[in-house]
Amino acid sequence: MTTNDEIPTTADEYRTKKPPRVDHEEGDDRTDEPTEWIDTLALERRSYLRSIGAVGALGSLTGFTGATGGVAAQDDDRDWEAAADERIETYRTGDLEVVVEDESGEPIAGADVDVEMRAHDFGFGVALSAPRVLEESADADQYREHVPELFNKAVLGNHHKWRFWEENRETADEATQWALDQGLDVRGHTCIWSNRDAYAVPADVEDAIDEGDAEHIRERSLEHIEEIITHYGDDIEEWDVVNEAVHEYALVEGVYGDAVDDDPWEGEVVPWQSPLLAEWYERAQAVAEQEGVGIAVNDYNTLVGPHDYARDWYRAQIEFLLEEGIDLDGIGMQCHFGVDERLTPEEILAGLDLYADYGAELRATEFDTFQGEWSREQQADYLYEFLKTFFSHPQTQDFVMWGFWDGDHWGESYGEEDDAPLFTEDWEPKPAYDRYVELVFEEWWTDEAGSTGADGTYATTAFLGEHELTVDTGEETITRTVDVTDADRTTTVTVTGDGETGSGEGPPSIDGYQPADTTGDGLYNDITGSGSTTTTDVNVFFEHVDDPAVAEYPQYYDFDGNGRVTVTDVVELFDSL
């Protein structure tokens, strides 16, 4: 057994909607997709750490030497979970006030109010197998049932990668559309990945690397970045532009040749700070801005184990891109945890603090717990501990599992058993399933009810996200959708006894929504009456801009001031966000 000090941590040492509780019946045998086994062979370099014997439990990990202050410093000797719960209440909930009044504006006391969550604002996601999503089998039916039941975000495990996409575009497009049809937000993974062992680099680009054809590599890669982002437009909300730039740099070597020196990293070109990397991100940023989508970085060993080298180089990459004028929307940390690479809650927070001041949201992009001798109870406990700690940090936004079912997992290609977080191959829920549901759909799920007081007001706290509001005045029952999106302000919704939301004069309802003026300028910017203006308001406005309930009321919707209601008013509303 090695000690912490013996583990390689430097470049010289290391080169290489609410689900039910379920009781499922056994499904059909797995049907393999010919290319699925390739999934993440990039991670084989990580096996080096395990082959020399990584430490046992990292109870006193010292790998976050760069983290000072931040959220981690707020936790003194308090119980980690109590401290996490306090942060969650501060950063993940907002005050909701429901005002119920009659048609004359008088408060209605004693009205029953029910607030039931419908969707989280935070992203709880999963990597999808595109072929599995599209195949016809009993297992695929189970797969398609559980994904929208358990998750609100998705990423394709393979089929948005460069070579996969160019050779299987129809599969990628159909799987992407399926995810969108389920109401899932979709991340793009990935425009560029230089791993030559993982079917990620097209054959002609492989040849160019071998031949040192720098211009072909540069032109093809830049064209591909533009093509794939444009192809999906805003259907994909964010792209990992370059995956694992710190660890996989064959394309950079193909362009710069011997100028890239991987030992002792003193060459003229550092892969994660190369001019080519800057070009890739500049092209991605220009196209992404046109399409209204975000761009991100993503790498491994950045929030697991005692891997100082990866955290240092990853931060150097981020700072390099920021200096080059790149506006990152996301910083992704893969979070593939071996049993010997677990972090304590304090270490998780310290690791997140390392990246928290770069102006981007922090994402756990590829979470799983299968490397080493885990018990299922250990896996369940660690998912609970990690997810609660991660969710409690104010800068985090997405938690994405890298698969959820043993019947479609990448463990075997990594030399281990397939061991996804939530389900066995015969669809038996694992202990981690219960812990995940307990947090996401019970502990962090708004389900509140009460009655209005003498002033006609009912107040509660709600988790950030979309909620269904039901008000029973005794004379009628009124149902509305309300978005609670801001932890720092009170979302106020006024419901009148005639079924309208709002008070006084105003425009008619739009598809069941009652618009509101939240700015006091006479223009009804809150199209859905949720209490704030979001992209949902812009979408509803766009869909109904030609309806008489909108087009005939320019006094309420003439955001561009030309006396009419047109698509340019939609643009003006969007620009105001």
Side-chain angles (χ1 to χ4, degrees):
M1 178 71 70
T2 60
T3 67
N4 269 1
D5 293 337
E6 293 169 331
I7 294 177
T9 57
T10 68
D12 291 337
E13 296 170 307
Y14 177 47
R15 288 286 174 260
T16 79
K17 324 157 194 205
K18 196 170 187 178
R21 300 282 180 175
V22 294
D23 183 12
H24 297 294
E25 297 179 356
E26 185 173 354
D28 291 347
D29 292 337
R30 176 179 178 180
T31 301
D32 287 326
E33 165 73 6
T35 54
E36 284 297 295
W37 67 272
I38 301 171
D39 199 359
T40 32
L41 290 178
L43 302 181
E44 63 188 8
R45 289 189 178 193
R46 288 176 233 177
S47 63
Y48 177 74
L49 290 175
R50 293 170 47 244
S51 70
I52 65 167
V55 295
L58 297 173
S60 58
L61 179 104
T62 58
F64 297 107
T65 54
T68 58
V71 174
Q74 299 172 15
D75 280 357
D76 37 40
D77 294 328
R78 293 179 299 166
D79 172 73
W80 77 267
E81 189 164 15
D85 287 338
E86 285 184 20
R87 289 190 299 273
I88 289 168
E89 183 176 2
T90 299
Y91 301 123
R92 302 297 175 191
T93 69
D95 292 330
L96 174 63
E97 183 180 77
V98 182
V99 180
V100 184
E101 58 187 30
D102 62 20
E103 295 181 47
S104 63
E106 293 299 314
I108 299 177
D112 293 329
V113 180
D114 182 84
V115 182
E116 173 73 18
M117 196 166 194
R118 288 291 174 260
H120 274 286
D121 178 63
F122 195 90
F124 297 99
V126 68
L128 299 178
S129 163
R132 184 71 63 180
V133 162
L134 302 176
E135 75 177 30
E136 295 299 326
S137 71
D139 278 335
D141 288 342
Q142 291 266 43
Y143 193 93
R144 286 187 290 266
E145 174 187 343
H146 284 302
V147 168
E149 183 181 80
L150 291 166
F151 307 104
N152 60 15
K153 180 160 289 196
V155 58
L156 299 190
N158 278 325
H159 279 74
H160 285 148
K161 295 169 183 171
W162 191 355
R163 185 168 183 173
F164 273 90
W165 187 68
E166 289 192 340
E167 296 182 2
N168 305 274
R169 189 174 304 190
E170 183 176 355
T171 299
D173 288 353
E174 290 180 5
T176 301
Q177 189 58 53
W178 179 86
L180 294 170
D181 290 344
Q182 310 315 303
L184 305 177
D185 294 328
V186 181
R187 295 189 73 247
H189 176 78
T190 171
C191 298
I192 300 293
W193 189 27
S194 290
N195 191 313
R196 300 184 67 179
D197 298 324
Y199 215 75
V201 182
D204 65 300
V205 182
E206 292 262 14
D207 292 341
I209 293 172
D210 294 335
E211 297 164 4
D213 188 347
E215 195 57 33
H216 185 77
I217 296 169
R218 178 180 283 107
E219 288 183 2
R220 277 279 277 130
S221 58
L222 290 170
E223 288 171 357
H224 171 67
I225 288 171
E226 182 167 352
E227 181 182 16
I228 195 168
I229 295 176
T230 302
H231 178 76
Y232 290 105
D234 61 5
D235 282 343
I236 289 183
E237 65 174 22
E238 180 180 86
W239 281 94
D240 293 330
V241 180
V242 181
N243 189 44
E244 299 177 358
V246 164
H247 295 95
E248 298 292 344
Y249 43 84
L251 291 171
V252 175
E253 288 182 313
V255 169
Y256 298 107
D258 292 340
V260 179
D261 185 358
D262 66 355
D263 191 5
W265 295 94
E266 293 180 353
E268 298 175 22
V269 177
V270 176
W272 57 88
Q273 294 174 307
S274 71
L276 182 60
L277 184 75
E279 284 187 80
W280 284 333
Y281 273 90
E282 287 166 0
R283 179 66 61 89
Q285 179 165 274
V287 180
E289 286 179 349
Q290 293 175 359
E291 301 295 340
V293 301
I295 58 175
V297 292
N298 192 51
D299 220 311
Y300 65 84
N301 284 352
T302 52
L303 193 65
V304 299
H307 304 308
D308 278 348
Y309 83 94
R311 288 182 280 274
D312 290 345
W313 295 348
Y314 198 39
R315 294 171 69 194
Q317 175 194 343
I318 293 166
E319 290 167 8
F320 166 74
L321 292 173
L322 294 176
E323 290 170 0
E324 293 293 317
I326 303 303
D327 184 12
L328 293 173
D329 297 275
I331 295 174
M333 296 150 283
Q334 290 184 9
C335 297
H336 296 286
F337 281 98
V339 68
D340 297 326
E341 294 182 306
R342 286 171 288 176
L343 305 177
T344 66
E346 181 182 10
E347 292 160 355
I348 295 167
L349 293 175
L352 293 170
D353 284 344
L354 288 174
Y355 312 107
D357 293 331
Y358 291 126
E361 294 174 336
L362 307 183
R363 315 195 192 286
T365 54
E366 304 182 20
F367 178 89
D368 54 21
T369 53
F370 75 93
Q371 302 167 53
E373 298 299 322
W374 293 82
S375 71
R376 289 186 178 173
E377 289 71 23
Q378 283 179 311
Q379 291 171 320
D381 289 344
Y382 191 68
L383 182 146
Y384 180 94
E385 187 173 284
F386 179 87
L387 180 52
K388 176 165 279 196
T389 304
F390 188 84
F391 186 65
S392 77
H393 194 286
Q395 204 62 28
T396 62
Q397 179 54 34
D398 291 340
F399 170 85
V400 180
M401 293 183 191
W402 206 246
F404 71 109
W405 168 54
D406 286 355
D408 214 314
H409 189 251
W410 66 284
E412 185 176 356
S413 68
Y414 187 59
E416 306 246 2
E417 293 183 4
D418 292 329
D419 192 4
L422 302 187
F423 291 99
T424 65
E425 189 167 356
D426 62 359
W427 291 106
E428 175 188 354
K430 298 182 180 183
Y433 171 92
D434 290 328
R435 306 307 294 276
Y436 177 77
V437 170
E438 175 188 344
L439 288 177
V440 178
F441 298 102
E442 294 175 11
E443 187 172 324
W444 301 336
W445 194 264
T446 309
D447 186 3
E448 301 290 341
S451 300
T452 57
D455 62 352
T457 299
Y458 168 74
T460 189
T461 299
F463 284 93
L464 303 184
E466 181 182 293
H467 299 76
E468 183 174 278
L469 176 66
T470 304
V471 177
D472 185 350
T473 66
E475 299 292 333
E476 60 182 325
T477 300
I478 307 162
T479 301
R480 292 286 179 266
T481 298
V482 56
D483 292 322
V484 180
T485 59
D486 193 338
D488 297 325
R489 59 178 289 272
T490 298
T491 300
T492 302
V493 180
T494 301
V495 179
T496 60
D498 63 358
E500 299 292 326
T501 303
S503 59
E505 297 182 357
S509 62
I510 303 173
D511 197 20
Y513 298 109
Q514 185 60 45
D517 171 16
T518 65
T519 62
D521 64 357
L523 296 174
Y524 281 63
N525 55 297
D526 179 13
I527 306 297
T528 62
S530 65
S532 62
T533 306
T534 68
T535 54
T536 300
D537 297 290
V538 177
N539 290 333
V540 172
F541 189 27
F542 175 72
E543 291 171 1
H544 298 279
V545 71
D546 293 325
D547 292 357
V550 176
E552 295 178 4
Y553 292 88
Q555 66 270 37
Y556 300 124
Y557 303 118
D558 183 18
F559 296 104
D560 67 356
N562 68 357
R564 297 176 294 114
V565 183
T566 66
V567 174
T568 59
D569 295 296
V570 179
V571 175
E572 287 292 325
L573 181 62
F574 176 77
D575 287 342
S576 72
L577 296 182

